[in-house]
Amino acid sequence: MLGRTLQEVSEALKQGLVTPTELCQRCLSLIKKTKILNAYITVSEEVALKQAEESEKRYKKGHSLGDLDGIPVAVKDNFSTAGIETTCASNMLKGYVPPYNATVVQKLLDQGALLMGKTNLDEFAMGSGSTDGIFGPVKNPWSYSKQYREKRKQKSHGESEDSHWLITGGSSGGSAAAVSAFTCFAALGSDTGGSTRNPAAHCGVVGLKPSYGLVSRHGLIPLVNSMDVPGILTRCVDDAAIVLGILAGHDPKDSTTIQDPVKPFTLPSLTDMSKLCIGIPKEYLTPELSSEVQSLWSKAANLFESEGAKVIEVSLPHTSYSIVCYHVLCTSEVASNMARFDGLEYGHRCDTDVSTEAMYAATRREGFNDVVRGRILSGNFFLLKENYENYFVKAQKVRRLIAHDFVNVFNSGVDVLLTPTTLSEAVPHTEFIREDNRTRSAQDDLFTQAVNMAGLPAVSVPMALSSQGLPIGLQFIGRAFCDQQLLTVAKWFEKQVQFPVIQLQELMDDCSSIFENEKLASVSLK
C-alpha cells in the first residue's frame, strides 16, 4: 500500500480497503526502520495518530475532506508548525516551538492530511547536500537500494559498504528521502535556488517548484524573500498536481501571492504533440555536465521529437552570469533576514551579559554554523554603502536581464524548456565533503537557480538509472503561472520513460508488504 500513489491510496481510503490509522501506523513503523537515513528531525507520532483517528471518524460518516484526507505527509523543518519544534537544523532555533502554522501546513491539515514529522535539511536551507545541519547528514535511500548495491558489488573489492552512502542533494534532502523511502506520500520542501528539484533528482522523485506568488510563503522561515517558494515532493506528477491544487491561491498574510482565485485542477493527458514546442537552452551544455546526463537529455529531446513535438535549440544569453548574480542577491537577502536572530525575542541566547553587543555577537557565533555566518558576512559586504551600487544594484539589473531571457524564449513560441536538473547522479558523502559548501552550491545550482530569479515554475522528473544504478532527473521549465501546462508535459514524459521503483529490501525486512497487491486488486480509479 505504501508504494502506491497518493491518488490510489486516497481511492482505497474512500472504498474502505485501508483505514487512515492503519496507513499512519505503517508509515510510522517504516520511519523507525529507515532511521539510518536521518530523514526526520522530529517524528510527530502522537499528533499523526490523533489526526488519523479524526480522519477515520470522517470516513465512517462519509464526510471525507478531499483527496488528502488520511494521507501521511512530511514537512521540511523550516516551515512553522504550531506546537511542534521547528529548528531549521540550527542551534539558533533548537527548542523553538512556533505558536502558529505556516499557511501551506494549515492548508494540508485543513484537508485532513496526517503530519508524520519534520524533515532534515542544511542549516537554514543553505546548501545543496543536506549535510550541514546540526542533526547530521541525510542519507540517500538509493544507497541501500538493490539497484545500486548490485552495481557496487561488481566494482568494489573489500571496501566497506557503509562508508559509501550517497548524499540526497539539498537543501530539502530530508523531504526527498522521506518520499523516496515510502514513509509518506508527499512532502513539503522549500526552493530558493533549486533546493526541491536538486534532491528530487538525486532521490528519484518528482520535485516541483511552483511559480513565485502562486503558493504562500507565510510561515516559511525566510532565506531569500524574493526567490523562496514552497516546493512539493511526490512520487509521481499527478500527485504533485493534487498537492499544488490544494496549496495554491491568495493568502492575505503574504502580499506576494496572486490575487486571482486558483481552482484545484486535474492534469489532462497529452494526445496531440504537434502543437507542443520544446526549447533546449544551448548554454546549459556545460563542460561539467556528466556524459550520462547529457546522453539522457538528448534521448529525452529525441523522444519528444519522435512523438511529433517541435524541438528547437534556444539561447538564454545571460546564463553565464546567473550563478554570480544569484550569489550576490542571495547573500544580501540572507544578511538582512538573519538579523532577526539576535537572542532577544526567540531562539538561542548566550550566557554572556557583559553588554548587549557582546550578547548579540556571542549568540550569533554559537547559534549559526560557518556556512550561515559566511553568507551573512558576504551579504553585509555587498550591502555596505560603498559597495551597494557596484554589487547589489548591478546584480538586480542582471537579474532583470536573466528574467528577460526567459520571456524572450517563451514569446518566441516555446512552451516548455527541457534541461538537466543536476550535473551528475548523487555522489558518495566522502566525495561531496571534499569541496566546501560555497563551491558545491555554485556547482549544484547551475541549472536551477535562474528559474528562481525569474519566478518561473519548474519540475524535476526522474528519467532513468545511471550505469551505477542511481536516479537521474531532468528539469522542465514553464511560463510564469502556466504550472498546469508544465505539469501536463511532465506527466506525459513520466509515462513514456517508466522510471523504475526503488528496491529497498535490505533496509526493511518486510519490504514486500509495502507493495502488497491483494487488498488493492479491487481499487478502481475514477
Side-chain angles (χ1 to χ4, degrees):
M1 183 66 81
L2 299 188
R4 299 282 168 165
T5 67
L6 191 156
Q7 228 176 347
E8 289 168 336
V9 171
S10 179
E11 207 50 55
L13 284 165
K14 285 171 191 156
Q15 293 177 26
L17 299 174
V18 66
T19 68
T21 306
E22 282 170 1
L23 205 52
C24 183
Q25 280 164 342
R26 282 189 204 177
C27 283
L28 287 167
S29 104
L30 204 50
I31 290 173
K32 292 188 180 102
K33 283 199 179 99
T34 56
K35 211 173 161 86
I36 188 170
L37 299 176
N38 200 20
Y40 289 83
I41 289 175
T42 307
V43 180
S44 47
E45 187 166 351
E46 284 175 24
V47 173
L49 287 167
K50 192 163 183 286
Q51 289 166 339
E53 206 179 300
E54 298 293 319
S55 174
E56 210 156 311
K57 286 177 191 163
R58 289 192 292 272
Y59 275 111
K60 277 181 183 149
K61 290 179 187 160
H63 292 163
S64 136
L65 294 172
D67 285 338
L68 282 191
D69 204 344
I71 301 280
V73 299
V75 172
K76 187 176 180 179
D77 206 21
N78 59 346
F79 286 92
S80 296
T81 42
I84 299 172
E85 188 181 13
T86 299
T87 66
C88 286
S90 172
N91 279 318
M92 188 56 95
L93 284 177
K94 212 173 176 183
Y96 167 66
V97 179
Y100 68 96
N101 279 322
T103 299
V104 282
V105 173
Q106 193 57 54
K107 282 187 170 186
L108 291 176
L109 299 180
D110 289 347
Q111 289 288 316
L114 317 178
L115 179 57
M116 305 314 292
K118 304 296 291 292
T119 60
N120 204 345
L121 63 155
D122 284 300
E123 180 162 334
F124 280 104
M126 296 184 208
S128 60
S130 301
T131 54
D132 280 328
I134 56 163
F135 299 102
V138 186
K139 298 182 179 181
N140 193 325
W142 285 86
S143 318
Y144 304 94
S145 70
K146 192 175 167 191
Q147 292 101 319
Y148 175 63
R149 290 271 162 130
E150 281 178 355
K151 299 274 190 213
R152 277 215 27 85
K153 271 186 197 130
Q154 295 161 15
K155 290 180 186 168
S156 68
H157 302 288
E159 287 177 47
S160 118
E161 277 294 343
D162 288 336
S163 66
H164 245 268
W165 58 269
L166 309 150
I167 57 138
T168 52
S171 61
S172 311
S175 289
V179 172
S180 174
F182 308 107
T183 62
C184 60
F185 290 89
L188 291 182
S190 60
D191 195 309
T192 307
S195 285
T196 293
R197 290 158 288 154
N198 175 295
H202 287 325
C203 294
V205 296
V206 171
L208 169 67
K209 172 226 172 283
S211 298
Y212 183 85
L214 189 61
V215 177
S216 170
R217 291 181 296 114
H218 173 72
L220 165 60
I221 293 168
L223 181 65
V224 180
N225 305 59
S226 69
M227 298 183 213
D228 293 343
V229 179
I232 298 164
L233 292 129
T234 55
R235 286 196 286 278
C236 71
V237 176
D238 270 324
D239 290 355
I242 290 172
V243 178
L244 179 64
I246 285 159
L247 300 183
H250 179 66
D251 177 16
K253 296 187 177 114
D254 176 3
S255 60
T256 58
T257 49
I258 48 166
Q259 297 296 322
D260 316 332
V262 178
K263 293 186 184 76
F265 51 81
T266 47
L267 297 177
S269 292
L270 262 188
T271 43
D272 183 10
M273 297 292 284
S274 64
K275 292 193 176 70
L276 187 69
C277 182
I278 303 283
I280 309 287
K282 62 178 184 189
E283 289 81 4
Y284 282 40
L285 185 57
T286 62
E288 302 92 344
L289 186 62
S290 83
S291 55
E292 273 193 286
V293 177
Q294 194 180 323
S295 125
L296 284 171
W297 185 20
S298 300
K299 262 190 197 155
N302 294 339
L303 173 68
F304 278 101
E305 207 159 26
S306 66
E307 294 292 326
K310 187 177 168 193
V311 178
I312 57 170
E313 185 180 84
V314 296
S315 176
L316 299 166
H318 296 93
T319 299
S320 58
Y321 306 112
S322 70
I323 270 286
V324 183
C325 172
Y326 172 77
H327 176 68
V328 173
L329 296 175
C330 170
T331 54
S332 300
E333 290 201 43
V334 161
S336 166
N337 274 321
M338 294 292 144
R340 73 192 70 197
F341 301 107
D342 54 11
L344 288 179
E345 288 160 78
Y346 45 76
H348 174 71
R349 182 172 189 164
C350 71
D351 300 330
T352 309
D353 53 4
V354 183
S355 69
T356 311
E357 279 74 16
M359 188 271 292
Y360 284 156
T363 294
R364 290 163 72 81
R365 188 174 60 249
E366 292 166 16
F368 293 137
N369 70 2
D370 292 349
V371 175
V372 178
R373 289 206 300 269
R375 290 206 194 183
I376 292 169
L377 284 170
S378 301
N380 280 321
F381 173 81
F382 298 138
L383 294 173
L384 286 173
K385 191 179 174 192
E386 60 266 33
N387 296 335
Y388 186 77
E389 288 287 332
N390 287 339
Y391 288 96
F392 186 72
V393 174
K394 193 171 277 183
Q396 290 284 33
K397 289 174 181 172
V398 175
R399 177 181 184 172
R400 175 61 53 85
L401 294 174
I402 290 165
H404 213 78
D405 285 349
F406 285 104
V407 171
N408 290 341
V409 164
F410 287 126
N411 283 347
S412 73
V414 170
D415 297 302
V416 170
L417 294 172
L418 171 64
T419 78
T421 309
T422 52
L423 288 166
S424 67
E425 79 261 86
V427 296
H429 178 249
T430 45
E431 190 183 317
F432 183 82
I433 54 175
R434 282 183 206 148
E435 305 262 20
D436 62 60
N437 178 297
R438 162 90 186 88
T439 313
R440 273 289 173 198
S441 297
Q443 291 167 349
D444 297 335
D445 294 346
L446 207 57
F447 305 126
T448 49
Q449 41 69 39
V451 172
N452 295 77
M453 291 201 283
L456 304 174
V459 61
S460 178
V461 181
M463 180 177 178
L465 296 184
S466 70
S467 57
Q468 292 215 299
L470 295 174
I472 290 177
L474 291 182
Q475 171 178 240
F476 293 91
I477 303 169
R479 302 161 187 260
F481 299 108
C482 294
D483 300 53
Q484 187 174 353
Q485 180 193 33
L486 171 73
L487 289 171
T488 305
V489 174
K491 177 184 171 175
W492 178 87
F493 178 72
E494 175 186 63
K495 193 177 170 197
Q496 301 297 315
V497 297
Q498 296 288 314
F499 183 76
V501 174
I502 185 172
Q503 293 167 350
L504 283 175
Q505 285 85 335
E506 289 187 34
L507 207 50
M508 343 179 204
D509 25 15
D510 60 354
C511 187
S512 53
S513 68
I514 293 180
F515 304 108
E516 62 188 44
N517 298 325
E518 68 283 350
K519 265 192 173 182
L520 272 168
S522 57
V523 175
S524 59
L525 284 177
K526 304 211 169 35

